[in-house]
Amino acid sequence: MKDTDIKRLLYSNLLCIFSVFLSIFIPSLFLDNFSILETHLTWLCTCSASVTGVNLLLHLVVKPNVSSRRSSLSHKVTRVLKCCIYFLLSCFFLHIIFVLYGAPLIELVLETFLFAVILSTFTTIPCLCLLGPNLKAWLRVFSRNGVTSIWENSLQITTISSFIGAWLGAFPIPLDWERPWQVWPISCTLGATFGYVAGLVSSPLWIYWNRKQLTYKSN
Amino acid sequence: MRLGSGAFAASCVAIEVIGVAIFIRGFFPAPVRSSAGPEHGVETPAPEPMAGASSNWTKLPSPLFNKVVIVLIDALRDDFVFGSKGVKYMPYTTYLVEKGASHSFVAEAKPPTVTMPRIKALMTGSVPGFVDVIRNLNSPVLLEDNVIRQGKAAGKRMIFYGDETWLKLFPKHFVEYDGTTSFFVSDYIEVDNNVTRHLDKVLQRGDWDVLILHYLGLDHIGHISGPNSPLIGHKLSEMDSILMKIHTSLLSKERETLSPSLLVVCGDHGMSETGSHGASSTEEVSTPLILISSAFERKPGDVRHPKHVQQTDLAATLAIGLGVPIPKDSVGSLLFPVIEGRPMREQLRFLHLNTLQLSKLLQENIPSYEKDPGFEQFKMAERLHGNWVKLHLEENHSDILLGLGTKVLRQYLGALKTLSLSLSTQVAHYDIYSMAVGTVVVLEVLILFLLSTPHVLCRKAELDVPLLSPVFSLLFYMIFLVLSAIHVLVCTSSESSCYLCSLPWLAAGGVMVLVSVLLCAILSALIRMVIDGTLLKKRAAHPGSGWSEVDLLLLLGTVGHVLSLGASSFVEEEHQTWYFLVNTLCLALSQETCRSYFVGDDCEPQHYFQVEEQGCSDILASTLLDSTSYNTPEPVRTGKGASLSEAQGSCKWWTVLASPWLVLICCRLLRSLNQTGVQGAHRPDLSHWLTSSDHKVQLSGLAALSLIVIFMLVQKGCSPVSKAALALGLLGVFCYRAAIGIVLFPWQSDNKVISKGIIEARFVYVFVLGILFTGTKDLLKAQVIATDYKTRTIGLWEIHSGLVLLAALLLRPHNLPVLAFSLLIQTVMTKFIWKPLRHDAAEITVMHYWFGQAFFYFQGNSNNIATIDISAGFVGLDTYLEVPATFLTVFGTYVGPVLWASHLMHFLSSEASNGPALSRACFCYALIGSVPVATYIVLVTSLRYHLFIWSVFSPKLLYEGMHLLITAALCAVFTATDQTRHTRA
């Protein structure tokens, strides 16, 4: 593991953070009265789109997992299709979990679903980009001592921090402050976003501090 | 002295209960009171002020009304009269309110909105303390000055019909009375007929001055079926016709005597959207107050909108109306429209009397009363009043006099308003000394708990309690002397009343001994810890802290919940916290199951806690054997792994993976059954749908299904005899509900005679007692005859099933699914999660505690007095018996925690291999139950001037105290069970 690797990780993470900020400022150029709180659903869509875009771009340009095997076009197409299906499945899965956590079943379905979409954008898409539609690899990365590179380490940290952010985001909902951001699911989506950004910032730093202790099996 | 950790925990919790009791006694303050007791005899009323000379009008003004009839309709909400319901069902009253000779108000009741404190407020004009809620069921004689007492002293002949609470409050005050009992909530016809049957006779006779009628039917309907039930309409029409009868009779009497009479219609409290009351929501505190008298005649077109007033204002108004002195403790102000039609001199005189009484009360309760704006206003008004009287007596009937009079009037009204406000909002003094002593006891117990935690969790389940040595140490005597000195000092110097000081010396001394013993115990425990420090360090050096995600979640969740109690919204919505935590726990368990099945080679770490513990005991053993090197617990670990894969083989993998999700789905369904808390209480939920009269068939089906599920889940662990008893008992539960008319048999038509179901309920009680008796017998047998542990397990399961049967009887039919799901979750978790994954006793205890808490709220409870289902206390009782009724109500409320604790007991004792698991679990249960109480006491003390202290934090304090008491009882049972095992061994 070299310092250049960590530097590359840092830059790509900064790019991801940039994409989140982009989704806040770009739509206001095209849309009147755009704001995160009032037109929350629009923001969710743009944020999800821009984060997905940047992740795909990074995947194509940086290619952290250099898979030496060249594969045929049809193989690639099935791979992409599989990724799409995985993404959709994860959205539905998260939606079900939110309902089990107490989100309304019939009302606010669109809001809940878009929250599921943005949370899986923060978690599933980086996984798909880095590991591909390979459940075994996912399980390996998210089990103890299973990471094999700093990229996977960073992925682990950002995914877990996004989930924790969304989880913590639910706490202000019952408070009686009567703020606009306490409405379901705004505080949770904001929490997830903060968690994601915090994970992106902290993972290179954490890896840098612990670079002496970290040893990866295959590297 | 050596104590098992279970016995240690049980005794600690018992001591903590004492501490909390002292705290609660000090926390609920005595309300604002006049120091002069009512025994002082008749005081001469204050004369009219007059500048320069004394007025000749020193007597009390003569009564305004010849006869007064008070019709108190329990739980009459303001919109029942002034809203659309009033227009529809109470046409006569609506006519009187809108066009007739009447004044109408919306009177605001102060929480707690429960009948007895409200009656007190109406008759004394004071604000009763929160503690009155607890005394609601056995109302003692009202000792404070009140209108009834004054009326009796003035020789008024008073008659009362209605709720017998009045007769307990005012014994021997009424010349004629007939009390009806309010304890059969399901009866709403007969209670009111018992009042109305006397009406014709009494109205005809007319040999009385005051007639009080208290109708309970409306409140009962609210408790049964809520404010939107069709029964409400019928009841309101009935009340309207009664009012019409009284009013016409009064009018005809007036024509004979030519002096006006007064008809007062009021409610004691409102009704929430669920039909309950006790809290402070707008629906519960808004009551109508209508004064009807021919003296209040109005011109056509004079629209009088109901003004908002305080409920306490009625006492002063009634006193003036009857021509008796205003009760001394009254904080209310006279309802001015009542005297508006009188001559100016009388008006001023009445206002002066009221203001004088309030300012006297202020002088006695606030040291710096002279700076109070209301008091200054009063002094000014009194001076002006004197001038006015002088002018008036000089026969000066000019416009100046009228102008000045109006000015004085306005000044008086302003003073009244300010005085009344500052008196009713005055925070009564907390008994800080008792609170501090209680807090100290509780915190000492908590520290002792925390200090012994590492010892209990990581080593043997026995504790060396240093009890005897400190008692004979010098330190103990010194601390005791110092504390006694402080006690004497505080008690002799403080002016305000103090509970601890009013105790006899022996009891106070006992408390001091307790405090100092605990302090010494803590000190010696600390010293021991320092000595043992080297051992602890060695343990810390042991590689890899054994915290799995579930452990971390359990710890952080508990801490988070405790901290959340500081915010009023989190207290109101505590159910959300528990649902959230339980859901997260299920997800964490699901992750754990996934990992242990998909990543087969990585299955050890999640059992590390247990392994670690084994390691600890190994360490201890090795240190005891004086060997410096200890074995790493490798062999143990491999053994575990083998047994784990064995356990995996026994149950299918997919059931294990699906079980956390099944639990999650159950929790989600239960959550939509009962909406609770403050924000969500009004939302539609399944229980409303089920309890509405249109869906009786569905409710019956659901109840029957739940009872069958309960039977299926419970019967498998029972002996054949108790199996049969259980089946008959559950059948009896359904019969009981059918008898009181809540559910239907398939062959039954809807309109059946409704009984109280006494026989059916007692039939079930017999089986409950029988099953409990069999269980206890088995436990004792297991102790005496050293058979294998199986008998004991069966005995525990029988006790569990007896409790389940009792719960099935007490829970309302729409809550039976809660019980069924609770048993289902227990079975699923035991079979597929706890057994295969081999959780540690501590983890299992905490999980049981969490589920118990969640089920407390699933059942529809909240941190609000109003959600307590008191009807559980009258199941199968013919008359109100205090002890059984209290016991049944408490059990009915705390079904969730109790059942989960009894399941915990059975589960841990069935795992025979875990040696000291039960006493360890008892320790954990006591610890996790006492941490929130201790923290909450500190939080409440620091928040005692918070705006919501009475509406949110105080009820929660009562709930916490009750929960601690139940925890103490459960711990005692745990220890007793554990003792039987020890003696056998």
Side-chain angles (χ1 to χ4, degrees):
Chain A
M1 178 179 50
K2 290 162 234 156
D3 282 356
T4 51
D5 261 353
I6 299 180
K7 214 168 264 177
R8 272 171 66 196
L9 177 70
L10 179 67
Y11 288 142
S12 63
N13 280 4
L14 284 180
L15 205 62
C16 288
I17 296 172
F18 178 68
S19 74
V20 172
F21 281 106
L22 212 64
S23 72
I24 299 171
F25 294 112
I26 290 287
S28 56
L29 298 179
F30 302 107
L31 298 168
D32 296 339
N33 56 43
F34 171 84
S35 75
I36 292 184
L37 293 184
E38 272 149 42
T39 53
H40 189 68
L41 298 185
T42 326
W43 175 72
L44 283 182
C45 295
T46 54
C47 184
S48 169
S50 77
V51 170
T52 314
V54 168
N55 263 306
L56 287 178
L57 196 75
L58 279 174
H59 171 61
L60 293 175
V61 175
V62 184
K63 290 200 176 164
N65 53 340
V66 203
S67 55
S68 52
R69 271 185 300 141
R70 295 183 62 88
S71 48
S72 63
L73 185 70
S74 65
H75 187 249
K76 272 186 181 164
V77 169
T78 48
R79 210 175 143 84
V80 169
L81 274 178
K82 243 184 173 177
C83 284
C84 291
I85 291 171
Y86 272 47
F87 177 71
L88 274 179
L89 280 181
S90 83
C91 290
F92 286 121
F93 181 68
L94 287 176
H95 189 110
I96 290 171
I97 288 185
F98 298 153
V99 171
L100 288 178
Y101 257 88
L105 183 66
I106 298 158
E107 301 135 40
L108 301 173
V109 173
L110 188 63
E111 279 84 350
T112 312
F113 187 70
L114 282 179
F115 174 36
V117 167
I118 197 140
L119 192 56
S120 51
T121 309
F122 291 149
T123 55
T124 319
I125 283 189
C127 287
L128 286 170
C129 286
L130 192 68
L131 307 169
N134 179 2
L135 273 183
K136 277 245 172 71
W138 291 26
L139 280 169
R140 174 178 56 78
V141 170
F142 289 104
S143 56
R144 211 170 275 200
N145 305 325
V147 285
T148 53
S149 70
I150 55 166
W151 296 93
E152 288 177 0
N153 212 332
S154 160
L155 177 75
Q156 200 186 23
I157 292 173
T158 49
T159 307
I160 291 174
S161 65
S162 309
F163 277 125
I164 291 178
W167 191 77
L168 289 177
F171 278 92
I173 295 178
L175 290 174
D176 59 355
W177 298 338
E178 316 252 319
R179 296 296 153 89
W181 48 265
Q182 281 181 292
V183 183
W184 169 257
I186 297 180
S187 62
C188 288
T189 54
L190 292 183
T193 315
F194 283 126
Y196 179 60
V197 170
L200 287 176
V201 171
S202 61
S203 65
L205 298 176
W206 189 82
I207 290 168
Y208 183 74
W209 286 120
N210 292 302
R211 66 190 184 282
K212 295 273 157 50
Q213 284 89 0
L214 286 175
T215 49
Y216 297 115
K217 279 176 196 163
S218 54
N219 278 23
Chain B
M1 193 166 90
R2 290 192 77 78
L3 265 181
S5 60
F8 168 73
S11 49
C12 276
V13 177
I15 294 172
E16 202 174 358
V17 168
I18 298 175
V20 171
I22 295 175
F23 178 86
I24 287 183
R25 188 62 185 71
F27 181 77
F28 289 106
V32 179
R33 287 283 172 270
S34 157
S35 58
E39 303 83 26
H40 271 241
V42 188
E43 280 178 40
T44 46
E48 193 177 28
M50 185 171 156
S54 60
S55 162
N56 54 354
W57 194 12
T58 52
K59 274 198 208 146
L60 268 181
S62 57
L64 296 179
F65 306 106
N66 184 28
K67 281 188 184 345
V68 175
V69 180
I70 302 171
V71 180
L72 176 60
I73 302 171
D74 216 289
L76 188 66
R77 200 162 77 178
D78 61 340
D79 68 324
F80 287 171
V81 180
F82 304 138
S84 60
K85 278 208 179 86
V87 175
K88 196 169 165 193
Y89 300 114
M90 303 186 83
Y92 187 75
T93 317
T94 311
Y95 164 75
L96 285 179
V97 165
E98 281 172 1
K99 302 203 179 66
S102 71
H103 289 290
S104 45
F105 307 90
V106 174
E108 189 196 323
K110 286 263 183 287
T113 46
V114 186
T115 298
M116 194 193 68
R118 290 340 326 140
I119 295 176
K120 282 188 182 175
L122 283 169
M123 289 300 122
T124 63
S126 62
V127 185
F130 202 87
V131 156
D132 282 322
V133 184
I134 310 163
R135 294 199 297 228
N136 186 22
L137 290 179
N138 54 341
S139 45
V141 179
L142 186 58
L143 294 172
E144 298 139 25
D145 195 9
N146 57 66
V147 176
I148 305 286
R149 185 193 172 81
Q150 294 284 4
K152 190 178 180 232
K156 305 273 180 199
R157 289 175 57 82
M158 289 177 286
I159 295 179
F160 173 78
Y161 299 116
D163 186 359
E164 64 178 6
T165 313
W166 284 77
L167 303 178
K168 290 180 191 155
L169 284 174
F170 311 107
K172 299 176 189 165
H173 285 69
F174 301 109
V175 291
E176 198 182 309
Y177 55 82
D178 181 20
T180 54
T181 171
S182 83
F183 291 114
F184 290 109
V185 171
S186 45
D187 163 36
Y188 50 85
I189 297 167
E190 213 171 305
V191 271
D192 286 356
N193 287 343
N194 283 345
V195 179
T196 314
R197 64 181 174 183
H198 303 283
L199 208 55
D200 284 323
K201 210 166 56 205
V202 167
L203 287 176
Q204 218 159 33
R205 257 174 25 205
D207 60 341
W208 44 268
D209 302 303
V210 180
L211 172 64
I212 300 173
L213 306 169
H214 187 152
Y215 283 98
L216 285 166
L218 190 65
D219 181 53
H220 288 190
I221 291 174
H223 280 298
I224 299 168
S225 53
N228 297 319
S229 145
L231 297 172
I232 295 273
H234 291 297
K235 187 51 80 179
L236 289 179
S237 311
E238 185 191 332
M239 291 297 130
D240 193 49
S241 62
I242 289 167
L243 289 177
M244 185 159 88
K245 185 192 276 175
I246 298 172
H247 190 227
T248 43
S249 146
L250 281 181
L251 284 180
S252 64
K253 278 266 157 35
E254 262 175 43
R255 265 179 235 116
E256 296 163 17
T257 57
L258 290 174
S259 63
S261 51
L262 175 70
L263 170 59
V264 181
V265 183
C266 59
D268 56 346
H269 50 72
M271 188 189 287
S272 70
E273 277 308 306
T274 55
S276 191
H277 55 88
S280 53
S281 69
T282 323
E283 292 87 20
E284 284 161 274
V285 300
S286 308
T287 65
L289 172 59
I290 308 165
L291 306 176
I292 304 163
S293 168
S294 51
F296 306 147
E297 60 197 22
R298 59 174 152 186
K299 301 175 195 84
D302 177 7
V303 183
R304 294 170 179 169
H305 288 292
K307 266 200 309 179
H308 278 263
V309 296
Q310 293 296 318
Q311 206 175 33
T312 45
D313 295 346
L314 184 65
T317 314
L318 276 180
I320 294 288
L322 288 169
V324 296
I326 299 172
K328 290 191 195 72
D329 301 325
S330 163
V331 297
S333 57
L334 178 62
L335 297 171
F336 182 65
V338 174
I339 55 166
E340 215 169 3
R342 313 291 300 175
M344 181 62 91
R345 191 174 175 191
E346 272 186 44
Q347 286 186 29
L348 291 181
R349 173 94 170 113
F350 289 135
L351 286 172
H352 176 243
L353 281 173
N354 194 189
T355 329
L356 191 70
Q357 174 258 332
L358 285 182
S359 64
K360 264 189 189 158
L361 194 62
L362 189 80
Q363 283 180 32
E364 281 162 6
N365 282 288
I366 303 179
S368 58
Y369 65 91
E370 272 160 345
K371 291 191 195 85
D372 192 274
F375 192 76
E376 285 167 9
Q377 253 174 323
F378 163 65
K379 282 291 161 204
M380 172 96 121
E382 200 172 32
R383 221 173 32 247
L384 281 172
H385 188 184
N387 290 337
W388 186 87
V389 172
K390 198 172 168 195
L391 274 176
H392 179 81
L393 291 180
E394 285 162 8
E395 303 292 325
N396 193 346
H397 290 290
S398 64
D399 289 344
I400 307 162
L401 196 65
L402 189 70
L404 186 65
T406 329
K407 201 178 156 196
V408 181
L409 209 70
R410 244 183 285 134
Q411 192 80 22
Y412 265 132
L413 287 176
L416 264 182
K417 206 171 162 190
T418 331
L419 279 172
S420 171
L421 196 71
S422 64
L423 273 171
S424 54
T425 55
Q426 190 215 355
V427 181
H429 302 290
Y430 291 102
D431 181 358
I432 293 288
Y433 179 56
S434 307
M435 278 162 73
V437 171
T439 313
V440 165
V441 171
V442 171
L443 287 183
E444 278 177 347
V445 170
L446 184 69
I447 291 170
L448 207 56
F449 262 132
L450 292 177
L451 284 180
S452 47
T453 308
H455 194 93
V456 172
L457 287 189
C458 271
R459 289 176 221 168
K460 296 203 289 184
E462 273 197 351
L463 279 175
D464 224 350
V465 182
L467 204 62
L468 285 179
S469 58
V471 169
F472 296 111
S473 72
L474 184 64
L475 185 69
F476 165 72
Y477 291 109
M478 279 173 63
I479 295 175
F480 178 60
L481 273 182
V482 170
L483 284 176
S484 310
I486 291 174
H487 180 71
V488 171
L489 203 69
V490 169
C491 287
T492 48
S493 65
S494 78
E495 289 152 16
S496 54
S497 66
C498 166
Y499 172 65
L500 269 187
C501 299
S502 62
L503 279 179
W505 280 100
L506 213 59
V511 172
M512 294 304 142
V513 168
L514 203 64
V515 171
S516 31
V517 163
L518 283 172
L519 202 61
C520 289
I522 287 173
L523 280 178
S524 62
L526 264 178
I527 290 165
R528 199 184 51 198
M529 265 194 94
V530 172
I531 293 169
D532 292 359
T534 47
L535 191 73
L536 287 171
K537 266 189 202 126
K538 202 191 269 178
R539 196 173 62 81
H542 191 67
S545 61
W547 290 87
S548 72
E549 284 87 347
V550 174
D551 293 328
L552 207 64
L553 174 71
L554 291 175
L555 184 73
L556 288 181
T558 310
V559 172
H561 163 250
V562 167
L563 291 182
S564 79
L565 293 178
S568 62
S569 313
F570 279 131
V571 174
E572 282 174 344
E573 310 287 321
E574 200 190 341
H575 59 288
Q576 301 280 14
T577 315
W578 284 115
Y579 298 168
F580 200 68
L581 286 179
V582 164
N583 278 345
T584 312
L585 176 69
C586 287
L587 283 185
L589 286 174
S590 136
Q591 183 250 12
E592 202 177 302
T593 51
C594 274
R595 213 172 48 189
S596 67
Y597 283 95
F598 286 119
V599 194
D601 56 344
D602 197 35
C603 59
E604 281 91 357
Q606 65 265 27
H607 315 300
Y608 212 82
F609 198 62
Q610 193 182 4
V611 171
E612 165 80 1
E613 200 176 283
Q614 298 275 342
C616 284
S617 47
D618 277 7
I619 302 166
L620 196 75
S622 51
T623 43
L624 281 176
L625 288 171
D626 249 345
S627 63
T628 43
S629 69
Y630 57 86
N631 302 327
T632 44
E634 274 318 317
V636 182
R637 194 179 289 186
T638 49
K640 285 276 175 237
S643 63
L644 181 72
S645 50
E646 214 169 87
Q648 284 166 11
S650 67
C651 45
K652 287 201 176 66
W653 62 275
W654 59 269
T655 49
V656 177
L657 285 186
S659 53
W661 297 95
L662 181 69
V663 174
L664 270 175
I665 291 168
C666 291
C667 290
R668 183 65 179 88
L669 287 176
L670 288 177
R671 176 201 278 261
S672 48
L673 183 66
N674 282 309
Q675 291 282 5
T676 177
V678 171
Q679 290 172 17
H682 58 275
R683 282 184 215 145
D685 56 15
L686 271 175
S687 69
H688 275 90
W689 186 82
L690 284 171
T691 45
S692 73
S693 50
D694 309 339
H695 302 115
K696 231 174 183 177
V697 179
Q698 286 90 331
L699 181 65
S700 316
L702 190 68
L705 189 68
S706 313
L707 288 175
I708 291 169
V709 171
I710 291 169
F711 178 70
M712 303 292 275
L713 290 172
V714 174
Q715 50 92 18
K716 63 189 181 330
C718 291
S719 61
V721 179
S722 32
K723 213 179 274 185
L726 186 73
L728 285 173
L730 289 174
L731 199 65
V733 169
F734 197 84
C735 293
Y736 168 70
R737 290 295 165 184
I740 62 169
I742 294 178
V743 298
L744 292 173
F745 282 118
W747 56 87
Q748 200 178 31
S749 63
D750 207 340
N751 40 18
K752 198 200 103 179
V753 214
I754 294 167
S755 74
K756 286 169 187 167
I758 303 278
I759 300 166
E760 288 87 349
R762 287 188 179 165
F763 176 76
V764 181
Y765 281 135
V766 167
F767 286 112
V768 170
L769 291 178
I771 295 175
L772 287 178
F773 176 75
T774 326
T776 324
K777 196 193 72 190
D778 280 354
L779 277 184
L780 290 176
K781 202 166 88 185
Q783 186 186 358
V784 176
I785 312 161
T787 51
D788 57 345
Y789 67 97
K790 242 177 187 164
T791 322
R792 200 162 66 104
T793 311
I794 290 176
L796 282 174
W797 183 260
E798 271 167 355
I799 289 179
H800 182 63
S801 52
L803 292 178
V804 167
L805 183 56
L806 184 59
L809 177 65
L810 296 183
L811 284 181
R812 295 194 185 193
H814 70 264
N815 273 335
L816 284 175
V818 178
L819 193 61
F821 274 125
S822 150
L823 291 167
L824 182 68
I825 292 176
Q826 283 170 357
T827 316
V828 167
M829 294 287 268
T830 308
K831 202 164 177 195
F832 301 123
I833 295 180
W834 290 323
K835 274 187 180 165
L837 289 183
R838 304 237 158 177
H839 281 109
D840 170 51
E843 290 170 304
I844 289 175
T845 312
V846 179
M847 287 186 212
H848 271 89
Y849 178 81
W850 280 21
F851 272 106
Q853 288 294 307
F855 273 89
F856 177 74
Y857 294 104
F858 280 141
Q859 192 195 324
N861 287 325
S862 69
N863 285 326
N864 187 329
I865 297 288
T867 49
I868 297 176
D869 179 17
I870 50 161
S871 70
F874 305 101
V875 172
L877 293 185
D878 219 350
T879 52
Y880 172 66
L881 300 168
E882 187 168 348
V883 177
T886 315
F887 171 77
L888 291 176
T889 310
V890 169
F891 182 78
T893 312
Y894 285 90
V895 161
V898 172
L899 282 187
W900 278 88
S902 76
H903 181 263
L904 172 67
M905 203 144 52
H906 166 257
F907 175 72
L908 287 179
S909 69
S910 69
E911 303 274 281
S913 55
N914 292 356
L918 205 57
S919 68
R920 190 170 283 167
C922 176
F923 181 85
C924 289
Y925 200 83
L927 178 68
I928 203 170
S930 60
V931 169
V933 184
T935 323
Y936 192 70
I937 279 182
V938 176
L939 282 173
V940 154
T941 313
S942 59
L943 291 173
R944 65 189 180 281
Y945 297 114
H946 193 279
L947 183 61
F948 295 145
I949 190 74
W950 295 120
S951 55
V952 177
F953 291 109
S954 306
K956 174 66 182 161
L957 181 64
L958 294 179
Y959 271 105
E960 281 293 332
M962 201 61 214
H963 190 213
L964 187 72
L965 193 66
I966 285 173
T967 309
L970 288 173
C971 283
V973 175
F974 264 86
T975 316
T977 321
D978 200 35
Q979 290 305 317
T980 62
R981 161 195 232 120
H982 277 296
T983 48
R984 201 196 73 214

